[in-house]
Structures are given as structure tokens and as C-alpha cells.
Amino acid sequence: MSAGAGRLGVVVTDIARADAEIVARLGAHGVATVHEAMGRQGLVGRAIAPIQRGARIAGSAVTALCWPGDNLMIHAAVEQCAPGDVLVVATTSPSGDGAFGDLFATALRARGVHGLVTSTGVRDTADLRELGFPAWAGSVHAQGTVKATAGSVNVPVVVEGALVRPGDVVVADDDGVVCVPRERAAEVLAAADARTAKEAADRDAYAAGELSLDRKGLRALLAELGVRYVSQAELDAEAGPR
């Protein structure tokens, strides 16, 4: 069950959001760099996949907790979305039904929302791509949903193993989705900046012909682990007659 499932029936209207510049700069780094910079934390499981290629977004999370097969609380969540947000949808138990489609995307685009991350299914995927509304989803499924059961908006949810709280920073691209706790956003950005600078220096060194074995000091580690360099003839001799 998703976190927040014990707090059904509320819509929180006044969530705190991360600084917009920090959010944008985290988004520019991308999922892999942010995930590494955060100590390899916050990554959403690989079952949540992009329905398009080439999109990279970042924004503050507005969360919707729905019952399976029911998208009522997505309708309620749209009203709570502001420019720069990312809508994050989870259900109280697993559901792959197509709870989100092009009409929702149209409404969210009008509110300046950057995209969707959902553990549920999406449909109208060709229309979503044509609209330029990025989505990362647990499935693509045309199965429709009802609007019958109270859930919540802007409570903590869990999406494929990752805790997402309202106002946390969500970064998504072709590599997946990562969530940065709002209070750690500046710290993670500093670590991501440092990592990017280091990788740029590594990239220049590798382009000039330097080996990662030497640049990272890995030869000593190989020796410590007992890895030997041998010729093919030596290896054949050790193996003996076939």
C-alpha cells in the first residue's frame, strides 16, 4: 500500500515547494547525475518508464493518491497544480488501468505543469506525445476508470519503492525518475554540480587517450583482488592439454 493511504479523504492546498532555480538546475543535470549525487537514493523503480524519448523535466511534486481503477483524485489534483509542478499519481494497491489521458494532459498543460509520473496506466499516448506532455507510467493500457472513491491530494505516496512527498523535487528523463527531498534540494544540487565538473574533466582526459584504469587508480585494486595479466599462450599452458 502507498504511503499516505491511511490519510484518505484530504486535499492539502498549501504545500511548500523548492526554489524554482534549484529545481531547474537539478533538471539540467538529469536523473543519473542527481541519483549519484544524492548517494544513490531516491530512484523510482524501473517499472515506471517514459512513454516518449528525449524529454527531460523537473518540478515540484503534487501528489494524488487514488483507489485502483478510479481517477477521481486526479481531477481534484489538477486544481492544486501550479506552473513548474509535476503531477505524481499512486494507488492504494497496484493498478495498471488507464487513469490518465489527453484531456488531463490538456488541462495540466494550461496550468504550466511539466509532466506526469504515475504508477498507474496511461492511455491516448499518441495524443500525449503530439501535445508534448511528457509522462512516465507503470503501464500503457486503454482500460478506463471510474470516479467513485475518495482518495487524497498532496499526501506522501510511494511510487515503485520511492517515497514522494508533496513539494519534493521530481526529475525525469529517458533514464527514469528520481525524487529529491525538498529540504535536501540545495545540498544535492551542490553535489551534482561537483559531479558534473569532475565528469567533464574525466571526459576530456578520456578523449585525449587517458585510461580510466589509470585515472581512477584501479590497477592497484585489480592487483589486490588477485587479477593477473597473462598472455594467451600462458593461459593455454595453465589450462593444459584439451
Side-chain angles (χ1 to χ4, degrees):
M1 184 173 288
S2 296
R7 299 162 62 189
L8 293 171
V10 298
V11 175
V12 181
T13 61
D14 57 348
I15 66 170
R17 292 169 168 84
D19 178 81
E21 181 180 354
I22 292 176
V23 173
R25 289 174 60 190
L26 284 169
H29 282 298
V31 170
T33 296
V34 171
H35 169 57
E36 295 284 354
M38 199 165 56
R40 298 184 179 178
Q41 297 176 331
L43 196 62
V44 172
R46 63 179 180 271
I48 307 302
I51 67 161
Q52 68 286 305
R53 289 294 173 189
R56 175 177 287 184
I57 66 168
S60 293
V62 167
T63 65
L65 182 63
C66 302
W67 284 84
D70 192 312
N71 70 357
L72 175 62
M73 300 315 294
I74 300 179
H75 288 271
V78 171
E79 182 181 23
Q80 303 308 316
C81 290
D85 285 344
V86 173
L87 178 60
V88 179
V89 180
T91 50
T92 57
S93 60
S95 175
D97 294 340
F100 186 98
D102 71 306
L103 295 180
F104 275 138
T106 300
L108 290 172
R109 278 196 67 192
R111 301 183 75 84
V113 173
H114 286 174
L116 168 78
V117 173
T118 179
S119 63
T120 69
V122 297
R123 61 184 188 175
D124 307 326
T125 53
D127 296 317
L128 295 182
R129 288 189 287 267
E130 185 175 347
L131 282 168
F133 187 83
W136 286 257
S139 66
V140 174
H141 194 19
Q143 176 65 49
T145 56
V146 299
K147 302 162 185 62
T149 311
S152 289
V153 174
N154 283 331
V155 298
V157 297
V158 174
V159 180
E160 276 296 304
L163 175 65
V164 183
R165 302 169 308 164
D168 283 349
V169 181
V170 174
V171 180
D173 59 24
D174 287 350
D175 291 338
V177 181
V178 67
C179 179
V180 180
R182 180 176 59 85
E183 65 273 13
R184 293 190 61 193
E187 164 207 336
V188 173
L189 175 60
D193 286 343
R195 183 176 181 86
T196 296
K198 179 182 178 300
E199 288 184 347
D202 287 343
R203 192 172 294 108
D204 290 343
Y206 300 153
E210 186 173 353
L211 293 174
S212 58
L213 279 174
D214 298 315
R215 186 168 182 81
K216 296 182 179 297
L218 297 177
R219 294 191 188 277
L221 176 59
L222 289 175
E224 180 183 337
L225 294 173
V227 177
R228 298 180 299 127
Y229 285 77
V230 299
S231 68
Q232 184 66 55
E234 290 169 328
L235 185 64
D236 291 344
E238 290 177 6
R242 296 182 180 179

